[in-house]
Amino acid sequence: MSITRFVKPEGLPAFLAHLSKDARVLAPVVKPADKRSVVFEPWKEGKEFTLEKATVPAKAAVLPQCETLVSYRKVKDKANPQNVTLELDDTPQAETTVVFAARPCDARGYVTLDRPYLKGPIADPYYKARREKLTVITLTCNSGCNTCFCHWVGGGPSSPEGSDILMTELSDGYILQGITPKGDALLEGSGLDDGADRFKEMEDVRKAAWATLVKAPNLKDAPAKVAAKFTDVDFWTRETDRCLSCGACTYFCPTCYCFNITDEGEATSEKGGRRLRTWDNCMSPLFTREASGHNTRMEKALRMRNRVSHKFSTYPENWGTFSCNGCGRCISNCPVSLDIRQIVLDAINADKAAK
Amino acid sequence: MRIGVFICHCGSNIAGTVDCAKVAENARMFPDVVLAKDIMYTCAEPGQAAIEAAIHEHKLDGVVVASCSPRIHEPTFRRTVERAGLNRYMFEMANIREHVSWIGKDKEANTNKATELVQIAVAKLRNDKPLKAKSFDVNKRVLIIGAGVAGIQAALDCAEGGIQVVLVEREATIGGKMAKLDKTFPTVDCSACILGPKMVDVAQHPNITLYAKSEVEDISGYVGNFSIKIRKRATYVDWDKCTGCGACTEKCPAKKTPDTFNELVGPTTAINIAFPQAIPKKAVINPEHCRQLTKGKCGVCAKVCPTGAINYEQQDEIITEEVGCIVAATGYDLMDWTVYEEYGGGRYPDVVTSLQYERLLSASGPTEGHIKRPSDGKEPKNIVFIQCVGSRDRSIGRPYCSGFCCMYTAKQAILTKDHIPDSKSYVFYMDIRANGKIYDEFTRRAMEEYGTEYIRGRVSKIYPDGEGHLIVRGVDTLLGEGVEIKADLVVLAVGVEAAKGSPKLAEKLRISYDSYGFFLESHVKLKPVETNTAGVYLAGVCQGVKDIPASVAQGSAAAAKVLGLFSKDKLENDPQIASVDMKRCVDCGKCIRCCPFGAIKEVEFRGKMYAQVIETVCQGCGLCTSTCPQGAIQLSHATDNQILAEVNTLCQC
Amino acid sequence: MPVLNGKELRIVGFLCNWCSYGGADTAGTARAGQPTDLRIIRVPCSGRIDPLFIVKALLNGADGVLVSGCHPRDCHYAAGNFYARRRLEVLKQFLPVLGIDDRRFEYTWVSASEGQRWQHVVQTFTKRIHDLGPAPKLEDPEPLLKVVDMALTSLRPLGTGQKNKLDELKAAIKAKLPELEVVIGWQQGYDAARTVPLFMRTPEDVDKLVWGPFNVNNPAVYLPQYKGKKVGIVVKGCDAKSVVELLQENLINREDVTIFAMPCEGTLDMARVNQELGRYTTIDKVEYDEVGVTITADGKEHRFCMNDFAQGKCYGCTMPTAVLSDTLIGTPTEVKPGPYTPPELALLDSMSLDERLAFWRGQMERCIRCYACRNACPMCVCRDYCIAESREPHWISQEDSTRDKLFFQTIHAMHLAGRCTGCGECQRACPVGIPILALRQQIARAVGQLFDGYKSGVDPEAVPPLLGYEVEEKNIHEREWK
């Protein structure tokens, strides 16, 4: 029996204040606009927040859009300018961080990222430093949504994977359930009321959420079927006719982890030079452009093939599970509403369609 | 990179207000700078030698010199680094004299500013790439625009040097203003006698093609290969047939045609030959006054012409000539003096310009060398000369001195006395400017030998007394009292202005002109013949006021420049031109649309179209680079990255 | 080297080599004393000065930027300064929308002989900048988030276009289809409350074609990639403007493109529609009437009246029917032009300069540089070689600073000067809803005001104003330096 706590809506700011004593708390914040959006931002006392699903997932907590891998400075000897000493700093930028009110799909994203970044032949020290300092408090979803498909890919509205604490909205407040020892410890020290008596209610809410979901197709054959389509360029061309080759799908994806490395700044300047790691985007022609100018993926069809294959075929090949968590952000944020679900289904059903 | 920085003291010119040693010390901290020192005179021989030595000793692959304007010494230092084995474009200059030491006295601020200018030069240099010039053939023909004495001199010198000359003259005859003069100072030589033979030489020289009554319509191309469109105006006379016999001018009934050659002193005929020594000596019909052309009936000249040269149907003709360089020698015009109400504003016939007076003095003029005043043809006895009419007068926007008026006025006063021994001349002047060879002596003669009365002061009013005289009222500032002279004739020394249409021609030549329309030389002291457009040279008053000997000298100087240029069979282009990164080009054609020189064309490569720069045509303005949104076309030596490096150096907070 | 504290401000000059740099030399030779703030960058011609250099400087710490070239008609390169004059003037009118005081940027003409004038220009400009004081930095103000007021009145009644003869259109496309590689239109998206671009290659594809208020995408964005191939496109009035602009710029060939058009009655602002619908699982049905749409989602009815929920651009639209088409089904509706300021621009207009800076700071912070704005823009033709990501040239740092993000938007806007047809796809595509359209709208307004009401994408023969010039500009006047 895990540790549970209960908090009334009006108690949340105090809870966040408590969390932010020792950590940077990233909480969803509404950005009002004609097209409003929700983004994770460092919370501070008095700042408004929301519990809506964020437009942008909290991936940046472990993999920032841009981070300095190494900063370097060349320092000249005034007497002899030919003598130059190099100062290097490659300390990972890692703060103790609590992500508050992520959704289960976001939380599962961290697990998806952990595999290549931590479990491969080399653990990425920058990622590792941040991951170790991360606590994830996840709000379970009370309903499905038109673009969500977490339950197709092994998740669900209350999937605990990747979360330290699961939080569920009840009629009059929120129940927080420790999932990991880290989560338990946090709850124990939170000073919140015990929520054990609301446990049953919590389970009912979570079950009800499942009931709102549209029936999921069976994706068991997806890895093989998507792989089988690899050489069918016509298939990918048709599927990507309307793709604009922007980076919305990848940049809003909680599991896309490709990066680019560039040097900026001037080693001899006061600020020094920075070797940056920034999100990269396999939808962009730059992703595979070689120094010669040759590009192995000139066509957007080939780029989309890479993205879909990676999520539904090659990642599963390496790690035994999809690297898509079904958050649906690539669909909802796509300027042309390109639907990855449809591409996967078309791949699966290609044989039938052919017959 | 290994960059050397050299800070010039320029004696005290820079060091007086800039701490050069401090600038060098600061520069040592800049990226890739391995050496920075201050030198007394970088451009002098020891300075250049020091730079060369440092390049060898420190294995420098780029040099920054902080000194005067690159417009002065960039070529010098480029040669310096080249001698030491570097590519000449691996060099940058920081202008810490004209832009720093000479315009500010605050040493701390100046030193800081100089340091930053060095810093941006270093930043740019670090993005420099060695550039290599391409060579191309030179068309060894020269276009000379304007056939006054400067243009004639340039043409003859070039022709003698074996160069094919295309000489274009707007008027019907060559000779320019000098041909209108009676005598020339200070020797009182007959103008026609000394210019005439040169004009004949032009006509006869096998290397000179003369287009009279013609104007330059359009110029395209670049040094070595200009293409010129010349508009040959209709003269309504077939010059191939015209022998210049003058039968037509005798019989022409339109005898009240204004005579522009004679400065409108007296009329001429609608068909005429400017003057007896005209070159080419061919008749021209003035279409505004020809009865056949205006009213459709007359045809007298056609009837009398023994060779049947008259052609009323003649049209302007456009001729294309290809040349390798151009000399502009378009001379000057007199300003419109009628703005001076105090001189009658043009209402009194006996107030004439000095050039009109020359025609009255000239034996080939309308009065056949007898001085007769325009109003009644009487010989004037009291003649007043007024200097500086439209010169050195800010009130009408002519603050400059016309240079030669003092001298010709003295000459005219002397000639007046020669023509009419019992006459008396008065000269109102501001200052006497007589700083040429035997010039001051000459004006002295006018005063002392010829009894010309020089009055230092301005004329405030001229008015007729009703008895055929003009009352000239002025002030003698030396005596401090008013003067009033009863004059029979008043001669105005009207100031010079750039020839009409100069700015238009400058635009065609792509050269600059000053606010008065005079063409701008490359450097006021050291490059008085060159312009900032390669292959375009200047001669004569079009560049600035000067007298005949100076015009002739500049004509010869321009010819020397032409001959120098043509001493090479091939020219090298300036490699600071644009080039296209084909990978980035999407063939939208924006660069092609904007290029002022037509230097970009579309080419096909592997089935796709791209923009491509024609290297010999590109002039390196960079308009294409700022037009191309994807940065596919970059101007070498002023690439986006180079300018960005400079901006980023200055703006980084 | 930092700016001398207290004494100097950061003033950057871009001077053409032939005239103004020479003029500054002449001033120096004449010992014409000047303030020391100015740092001069020498360029061959004022035409070389990409306005973006100026923005770059102003965003990164310049307190003032001064550009000087040869006097008009006096360009060493014949026409460089004529082009520069247009571009710089457009920039000057653009800067305030970013929250940058346009007095911080000035351009002028000084010839090599005008040393005195140069001295006067430097003195005057330096004094002006000192009077203005140090320029505010983008990061200084507290982020300001203001929302565009979408309560607009349309120039014409908006509707759902359901009376259009879609069948006729389909028949026309089918008839032409054999000659064409593809015809681009719209089809239903992943649910009935949205459409997505449709690529018709077979008659069966044509049957999927839909027409109505959900047809928000601008299909013209796909045309340049088909250059040289025979393609068809179905357009609304606004889409046609993009097609025309592409023709103007030689990015597509007229003979290759077959344009099918129907009069448009307006399209929905999907941002507000989605917000109103909220989180839902399934669309039950979508019903159209003449003035609006009723969407039932998860059993709940939502009513969208076109007059209340149209895209901002639809309210001011005067060209609901394509200006250029090969097959027009239906009768073009005449709309009288009326007063209309795009809502995004109206919001910026209502703010002070400081507020605008704070506004952009607040907006751009959340940009994650997915470049959906760029890729959805039909006029963004650099595509694979956008300078946002290139190193050669290296305009933008990969650092995710708000400044660089705003700078990219400026690049996009400046590159659209005289080209943007206001289709609004950039803003619609932005997943985080940044009202970037305002920047393009300001550019378009400036271009219209400067060049006799020029509108992009109306006349295929017209030269885009920044690719041309007039020797005497009617609306650009030399500034007095007094």
Side-chain angles (χ1 to χ4, degrees):
Chain A
M1 178 81 184
S2 52
I3 290 177
T4 52
R5 289 289 182 270
F6 181 80
V7 59
K8 295 243 175 209
E10 55 272 25
L12 285 175
F15 177 52
L16 290 186
H18 165 75
L19 294 175
S20 57
K21 267 189 283 183
D22 312 309
R24 169 179 70 142
V25 176
L26 297 176
V29 173
V30 173
K31 295 289 175 181
D34 182 50
K35 181 191 212 168
R36 69 202 284 281
S37 56
V38 175
V39 300
F40 282 91
E41 275 186 358
W43 184 86
K44 58 177 191 277
E45 196 90 48
K47 185 163 177 163
E48 302 245 348
F49 62 94
T50 178
L51 295 176
E52 285 173 67
K53 178 178 169 186
T55 318
V56 193
K59 178 169 74 179
V62 286
L63 197 61
Q65 191 187 341
C66 175
E67 69 172 307
T68 304
L69 298 180
V70 189
S71 57
Y72 46 91
R73 261 191 79 191
K74 279 184 183 169
V75 184
K76 284 181 141 189
D77 176 2
K78 222 167 191 177
N80 180 6
Q82 311 211 22
N83 280 353
V84 179
T85 41
L86 188 65
E87 291 173 353
L88 275 181
D89 181 6
D90 61 354
T91 321
Q93 301 154 319
E95 275 180 84
T96 305
T97 299
V98 176
V99 169
F100 176 74
R103 294 295 176 118
C105 47
D106 301 341
R108 284 190 80 206
Y110 298 123
V111 181
T112 311
L113 298 177
D114 286 346
R115 297 186 189 104
Y117 277 112
L118 301 178
K119 303 193 171 143
I122 297 167
D124 183 289
Y126 302 91
Y127 180 88
K128 188 163 181 260
R130 281 186 293 267
R131 186 67 174 104
E132 282 168 354
K133 291 184 171 177
L134 179 71
T135 308
V136 183
I137 303 177
T138 302
L139 179 69
T140 63
C141 299
N142 279 0
S143 73
C145 144
N146 61 336
T147 50
C148 293
F149 57 108
C150 52
H151 58 304
W152 295 26
V153 288
S158 49
S159 163
E161 204 182 347
S163 301
D164 295 297
I165 294 169
L166 273 189
M167 177 165 117
T168 298
E169 184 183 3
L170 304 180
S171 54
D172 55 345
Y174 301 91
I175 180 163
L176 293 94
Q177 175 194 14
I179 303 294
T180 61
K182 200 194 244 177
D184 287 345
L186 189 148
L187 287 180
E188 278 178 335
S190 68
L192 297 178
D193 298 340
D194 187 59
D197 56 335
R198 310 297 297 268
F199 196 83
K200 171 76 176 54
E201 193 184 341
M202 174 191 87
E203 285 193 312
D204 292 345
V205 169
R206 290 182 183 174
K207 260 184 219 145
W210 271 98
T212 67
L213 305 182
V214 180
K215 188 179 174 326
N218 186 348
L219 298 191
K220 183 168 58 68
D221 294 339
K225 295 280 189 180
V226 170
K229 276 281 154 206
F230 193 81
T231 51
D232 186 353
V233 176
D234 285 347
F235 170 82
W236 297 105
T237 305
R238 274 196 315 278
E239 295 288 344
T240 55
D241 264 340
R242 66 178 190 262
C243 171
L244 297 171
S245 292
C246 72
C249 47
T250 58
Y251 284 0
F252 287 82
C253 175
T255 68
C256 271
Y257 54 78
C258 290
F259 57 81
N260 191 18
I261 293 181
T262 39
D263 286 358
E264 296 283 359
E266 180 52 61
T268 38
S269 75
E270 227 162 288
K271 274 199 214 163
R274 280 91 61 211
R275 175 152 299 177
L276 305 177
R277 168 154 81 180
T278 45
W279 291 350
D280 205 350
N281 158 27
C282 59
M283 295 291 98
S284 158
L286 271 79
F287 191 77
T288 46
R289 191 193 297 150
E290 295 163 11
S292 66
H294 176 66
N295 197 337
T296 49
R297 293 184 205 146
M298 256 329 244
E299 312 300 328
K300 61 186 178 185
L302 305 185
R303 304 198 284 267
M304 183 63 81
R305 176 181 73 183
N306 176 72
R307 188 169 81 92
V308 177
S309 300
H310 180 257
K311 296 209 179 299
F312 286 90
S313 156
T314 51
Y315 187 98
E317 220 172 87
N318 290 329
W319 304 103
T321 177
F322 298 127
S323 76
C324 170
N325 295 337
C327 74
R329 288 191 179 92
C330 57
I331 308 167
S332 58
N333 289 321
C334 177
V336 294
S337 302
L338 203 72
D339 191 341
I340 194 169
R341 296 172 294 194
Q342 197 57 49
I343 299 177
V344 174
L345 292 179
D346 286 349
I348 292 174
N349 298 326
D351 309 344
K352 290 177 211 160
K355 278 169 201 165
Chain B
M1 273 186 85
R2 295 178 61 81
I3 295 173
V5 177
F6 302 89
I7 317 291
C8 183
H9 287 224
C10 197
S12 63
N13 277 310
I14 294 170
T17 57
V18 174
D19 183 345
C20 295
K22 178 80 183 154
V23 175
E25 188 190 319
N26 293 338
R28 283 181 203 117
M29 293 297 108
F30 297 154
D32 294 344
V33 172
V34 294
L35 171 82
K37 56 178 171 184
D38 49 316
I39 291 180
M40 186 54 80
Y41 286 104
T42 42
C43 64
E45 203 279 330
Q48 293 195 45
I51 295 173
E52 282 183 63
I55 291 172
H56 293 302
E57 188 188 338
H58 296 275
K59 298 187 176 58
L60 303 180
D61 52 10
V63 168
V64 169
V65 169
S67 58
C68 52
S69 171
R71 285 165 55 96
I72 301 172
H73 273 320
E74 194 171 58
T76 314
F77 293 119
R78 281 192 171 154
R79 284 193 297 271
T80 311
V81 301
E82 202 166 45
R83 277 199 303 276
L86 292 192
N87 181 279
R88 55 194 294 146
Y89 295 96
M90 298 307 286
F91 167 78
E92 291 296 333
M93 251 179 121
N95 183 347
I96 61 168
R97 192 178 74 178
E98 282 84 346
H99 292 188
V100 181
S101 69
W102 278 353
I103 57 166
K105 293 195 171 71
D106 179 337
K107 198 159 186 172
E108 186 200 1
N110 279 359
T111 304
N112 178 61
K113 182 176 177 182
T115 301
E116 285 196 354
L117 293 185
V118 171
Q119 197 179 5
I120 61 174
V122 169
K124 176 157 189 256
L125 176 61
R126 295 176 75 224
N127 288 278
D128 276 347
K129 288 194 173 70
L131 303 177
K132 227 175 141 46
K134 293 228 163 55
S135 65
F136 57 90
D137 291 328
V138 185
N139 183 351
K140 292 189 181 178
R141 303 179 81 228
V142 58
L143 167 73
I144 296 174
I145 309 169
V149 66
I152 287 173
Q153 185 65 40
L156 289 173
D157 286 358
C158 288
E160 279 302 299
I163 302 297
Q164 290 288 327
V165 177
V166 177
L167 182 60
V168 175
E169 169 57 50
R170 180 158 67 183
E171 303 300 332
T173 175
I174 65 170
K177 295 288 186 293
M178 186 176 171
K180 297 185 180 189
L181 305 182
D182 177 37
K183 302 280 190 312
T184 58
F185 61 80
T187 49
V188 203
D189 268 330
C190 160
S191 188
C193 310
I194 54 175
L195 182 64
K198 280 184 182 286
M199 290 167 59
V200 174
D201 285 351
V202 167
Q204 293 178 343
H205 206 294
N207 285 350
I208 299 177
T209 310
L210 172 64
Y211 295 103
K213 201 76 187 161
S214 299
E215 286 179 68
V216 171
E217 183 88 356
D218 184 53
I219 300 172
S220 59
Y222 49 94
V223 60
N225 293 285
F226 288 105
S227 181
I228 316 291
K229 283 204 173 68
I230 297 164
R231 177 177 292 272
K232 200 167 181 321
R233 298 243 176 247
T235 56
Y236 308 99
V237 177
D238 182 343
W239 280 6
D240 289 338
K241 292 181 183 161
C242 177
T243 59
C245 70
C248 51
T249 62
E250 279 167 32
K251 294 282 186 291
C252 176
K255 295 199 188 300
K256 285 190 177 156
T257 306
D259 189 350
T260 48
F261 183 80
N262 280 323
E263 295 288 312
L264 311 179
V265 185
T268 183
T269 44
I271 184 164
N272 83 327
I273 298 170
F275 69 115
Q277 295 91 342
I279 297 288
K281 195 172 180 194
K282 306 285 180 191
V284 175
I285 294 179
N286 181 333
E288 285 165 26
H289 294 86
C290 168
R291 293 183 184 178
Q292 180 68 32
L293 290 171
T294 52
K295 303 203 176 85
K297 51 184 179 188
C298 177
V300 170
C301 50
K303 279 176 212 134
V304 301
C305 178
T307 59
I310 309 298
N311 174 10
Y312 299 115
E313 305 296 313
Q314 202 180 52
Q315 299 286 324
D316 286 5
E317 199 184 333
I318 301 289
I319 297 158
T320 305
E321 286 280 2
E322 311 285 335
V323 300
C325 70
I326 301 170
V327 176
T330 50
Y332 65 97
D333 279 316
L334 295 186
M335 60 92 58
D336 177 15
W337 69 271
T338 57
V339 296
Y340 286 100
E341 273 302 312
E342 57 267 46
Y343 305 149
R347 289 188 303 278
Y348 313 135
D350 292 335
V351 177
V352 299
T353 69
S354 46
L355 205 52
Q356 287 174 327
Y357 195 59
E358 287 288 337
R359 296 314 297 155
L360 292 176
L361 289 168
S362 170
S364 65
T367 56
E368 291 168 338
H370 302 294
I371 306 174
K372 293 176 182 169
R373 63 181 202 171
S375 61
D376 52 12
K378 279 189 192 153
E379 199 175 65
K381 296 294 178 204
N382 287 321
I383 297 139
V384 171
F385 293 91
I386 302 174
Q387 303 272 64
C388 296
V389 177
S391 299
R392 302 175 67 196
D393 187 349
R394 283 177 195 280
S395 69
I396 56 149
R398 291 264 181 308
Y400 56 86
C401 170
S402 292
F404 46 60
C405 319
C406 289
M407 294 311 301
Y408 70 62
T409 300
K411 175 196 75 182
Q412 289 178 343
I414 288 171
L415 290 174
T416 304
K417 196 75 177 172
D418 281 344
H419 277 70
I420 312 168
D422 59 344
S423 64
K424 174 79 181 163
S425 294
Y426 304 86
V427 176
F428 282 90
Y429 72 101
M430 283 163 68
D431 301 288
I432 303 284
R433 301 199 160 174
N435 59 349
K437 195 171 175 180
I438 0 178
Y439 283 12
D440 200 56
E441 299 94 310
F442 186 71
T443 49
R444 288 271 148 223
R445 274 177 67 201
M447 291 176 213
E448 289 156 14
E449 279 178 40
Y450 287 83
T452 309
E453 193 171 331
Y454 271 72
I455 303 159
R456 189 174 195 278
R458 302 294 288 163
V459 169
S460 58
K461 196 155 182 61
I462 299 173
Y463 60 93
D465 68 351
E467 294 165 9
H469 305 291
L470 292 164
I471 306 298
V472 180
R473 188 186 285 168
V475 64
D476 186 329
T477 54
L478 296 179
L479 294 176
E481 60 191 33
V483 188
E484 210 173 83
I485 296 161
K486 198 183 258 191
D488 300 313
L489 184 68
V490 176
V491 180
L492 305 177
V494 176
V496 164
E497 64 180 19
K500 296 198 172 47
S502 297
K504 269 220 163 80
L505 181 63
E507 286 159 27
K508 289 175 191 160
L509 288 166
R510 298 195 299 270
I511 60 176
S512 304
Y513 53 95
D514 67 17
S515 45
Y516 311 110
F518 294 110
F519 299 150
L520 221 57
E521 61 282 357
S522 237
H523 188 275
V524 66
K525 296 236 174 286
L526 298 177
K527 288 184 172 178
V529 179
E530 295 97 320
T531 63
N532 280 332
T533 297
V536 177
Y537 307 107
L538 304 176
V541 183
C542 65
Q543 176 256 341
V545 287
K546 54 180 71 68
D547 59 9
I548 292 167
S551 293
V552 170
Q554 202 179 10
S556 284
K561 285 285 163 195
V562 173
L563 292 167
L565 180 75
F566 289 168
S567 65
K568 305 176 197 108
D569 291 327
K570 291 203 177 255
L571 285 182
E572 290 199 328
N573 76 328
D574 184 337
Q576 298 173 93
I577 53 169
S579 62
V580 178
D581 178 351
M582 279 169 64
K583 291 195 297 288
R584 301 185 80 87
C585 177
V586 298
D587 186 39
C588 64
K590 292 186 183 75
C591 53
I592 297 174
R593 214 183 294 212
C594 288
C595 177
F597 306 99
I600 310 171
K601 61 181 177 188
E602 262 182 308
V603 291
E604 197 186 318
F605 181 72
R606 292 183 182 165
K608 270 188 75 184
M609 301 303 287
Y610 300 93
Q612 191 182 69
V613 176
I614 310 166
E615 290 180 340
T616 47
V617 181
C618 175
Q619 299 291 300
C621 68
L623 182 59
C624 52
T625 310
S626 59
T627 302
C628 178
Q630 63 268 43
I633 188 162
Q634 290 287 334
L635 175 64
S636 306
H637 218 65
T639 61
D640 283 344
N641 275 4
Q642 292 191 296
I643 298 174
L644 283 168
E646 295 176 272
V647 172
N648 292 341
T649 302
L650 291 173
C651 307
Q652 47 183 321
C653 58
Chain C
M1 266 284 142
V3 178
L4 279 184
N5 275 337
K7 266 193 196 170
E8 287 183 357
L9 290 173
R10 176 54 81 217
I11 304 177
V12 180
F14 293 92
L15 271 65
C16 86
N17 177 55
W18 302 102
C19 291
S20 294
Y21 197 91
D25 283 355
T26 307
T29 309
R31 313 297 198 274
Q34 294 155 45
T36 53
D37 309 48
L38 180 70
R39 305 285 180 268
I40 293 172
I41 292 174
R42 181 167 71 128
V43 292
C45 175
S46 52
R48 171 67 189 92
I49 302 163
D50 193 322
L52 293 169
F53 290 131
I54 296 156
V55 183
K56 180 101 184 162
L58 287 170
L59 279 177
N60 289 293
D63 300 306
V65 175
L66 178 64
V67 166
S68 187
C70 304
H71 285 278
R73 292 171 183 276
D74 192 15
C75 178
H76 179 73
Y77 302 105
N81 55 2
F82 288 137
Y83 288 97
R85 180 168 60 184
R86 286 193 162 195
R87 294 169 188 185
L88 297 171
E89 184 63 32
V90 168
L91 173 71
K92 194 157 168 66
Q93 304 214 4
F94 173 73
L95 289 175
V97 79
L98 292 174
I100 297 173
D101 194 326
D102 64 346
R103 289 172 296 178
R104 294 191 183 277
F105 161 60
E106 198 54 87
Y107 65 94
T108 187
W109 318 116
V110 173
S111 81
S113 63
E114 293 176 322
Q116 278 192 334
R117 179 177 159 86
W118 177 250
Q119 177 192 31
H120 180 62
V121 164
V122 175
Q123 287 171 338
T124 312
F125 188 68
T126 309
K127 179 172 183 310
R128 185 202 287 183
I129 299 305
H130 277 266
D131 289 347
L132 288 167
K137 308 272 171 288
L138 183 62
E139 294 78 5
D140 290 346
E142 276 300 306
L144 175 70
L145 293 169
K146 275 197 177 181
V147 181
V148 172
D149 179 8
M150 294 298 288
L152 303 170
T153 313
S154 176
L155 293 177
R156 58 173 170 141
L158 297 172
T160 54
Q162 296 308 300
K163 278 193 200 146
N164 270 317
K165 299 186 175 99
L166 182 57
D167 287 337
E168 255 181 61
L169 176 63
K170 286 180 180 171
I173 296 172
K174 282 179 185 170
K176 197 87 177 134
L177 199 56
E179 302 160 33
L180 303 173
E181 182 141 327
V182 68
V183 178
I184 310 165
W186 303 266
Q187 62 181 325
Q188 189 191 306
Y190 54 77
D191 63 29
R194 67 204 71 242
T195 69
V196 295
L198 165 68
F199 292 74
M200 296 170 265
R201 295 188 176 86
T202 62
E204 294 73 45
D205 291 337
V206 180
D207 289 331
K208 296 180 193 161
L209 181 68
V210 295
W211 182 271
F214 292 107
N215 288 5
V216 290
N217 295 78
N218 182 349
V221 70
Y222 301 105
L223 281 184
Q225 74 196 58
Y226 290 105
K227 190 179 179 185
K229 292 177 180 160
K230 302 275 179 210
V231 293
I233 184 166
V234 188
V235 291
K236 312 185 287 289
C238 46
D239 308 331
K241 286 200 271 182
S242 302
V243 177
V244 169
E245 186 64 31
L246 290 169
L247 288 170
Q248 273 179 268
E249 295 183 30
N250 188 34
L251 294 160
I252 52 174
N253 303 320
R254 181 68 187 97
E255 62 273 19
D256 291 342
V257 183
T258 308
I259 305 167
F260 300 93
M262 287 209 290
C264 171
E265 291 181 9
T267 49
L268 285 164
D269 178 357
M270 294 308 291
R272 282 182 295 146
V273 170
N274 287 334
Q275 193 181 332
E276 173 69 24
L277 290 173
R279 192 178 165 105
Y280 66 85
T281 319
T282 11
I283 297 287
D284 304 324
K285 60 181 176 195
V286 176
E287 292 160 300
Y288 298 90
D289 53 57
E290 270 182 32
V291 296
V293 189
T294 308
I295 301 174
T296 312
D298 292 346
K300 194 177 168 213
E301 255 187 31
H302 303 266
R303 168 77 187 153
F304 299 99
C305 186
M306 289 304 293
N307 279 333
D308 301 328
F309 281 90
Q311 295 202 72
K313 63 176 174 180
C314 300
Y315 294 96
C317 174
T318 54
M319 279 181 204
T321 314
V323 278
L324 181 71
S325 61
D326 299 295
T327 304
L328 172 65
I329 310 288
T331 332
T333 10
E334 291 285 325
V335 185
K336 268 200 201 140
Y340 165 76
T341 306
E344 296 83 1
L345 192 53
L347 175 66
L348 269 298
D349 282 349
S350 73
M351 294 185 211
S352 69
L353 284 174
D354 290 344
E355 285 175 324
R356 289 176 199 169
L357 201 64
F359 177 78
W360 289 118
R361 188 204 162 173
Q363 299 295 338
M364 295 317 300
E365 272 179 341
R366 68 178 179 277
C367 166
I368 57 172
R369 296 213 276 198
C370 67
Y371 294 125
C373 48
R374 172 188 74 190
N375 288 44
C377 173
M379 302 320 302
C380 263
V381 291
C382 311
R383 304 272 153 188
D384 298 5
Y385 290 93
C386 176
I387 59 171
E389 291 140 323
S390 78
R391 304 286 290 185
E392 197 67 65
H394 188 192
W395 280 89
I396 293 193
S397 153
Q398 291 307 302
E399 279 151 309
D400 61 343
S401 75
T402 311
R403 233 186 261 192
D404 277 322
K405 292 168 182 174
L406 182 60
F407 185 53
F408 172 72
Q409 291 306 323
T410 307
I411 292 176
H412 194 191
M414 289 306 295
H415 281 178
L416 284 170
R419 309 172 62 228
C420 175
T421 61
C423 76
E425 285 291 88
C426 49
Q427 178 170 297
R428 191 192 60 77
C430 179
V432 290
I434 304 172
I436 44 179
L437 190 50
L439 301 177
R440 285 84 178 154
Q441 289 163 342
Q442 174 55 27
I443 285 271
R445 179 164 67 181
V447 166
Q449 285 168 353
L450 289 171
F451 308 114
D452 290 335
Y454 180 86
K455 282 193 167 62
S456 312
V458 176
D459 173 9
E461 302 304 318
V463 176
L466 296 200
L467 297 179
Y469 64 86
E470 294 282 339
V471 172
E472 301 287 345
E473 293 287 358
K474 222 185 280 177
N475 302 316
I476 306 178
H477 304 292
E478 175 117 15
R479 283 173 186 75
E480 300 272 325
W481 285 89
K482 278 177 186 158

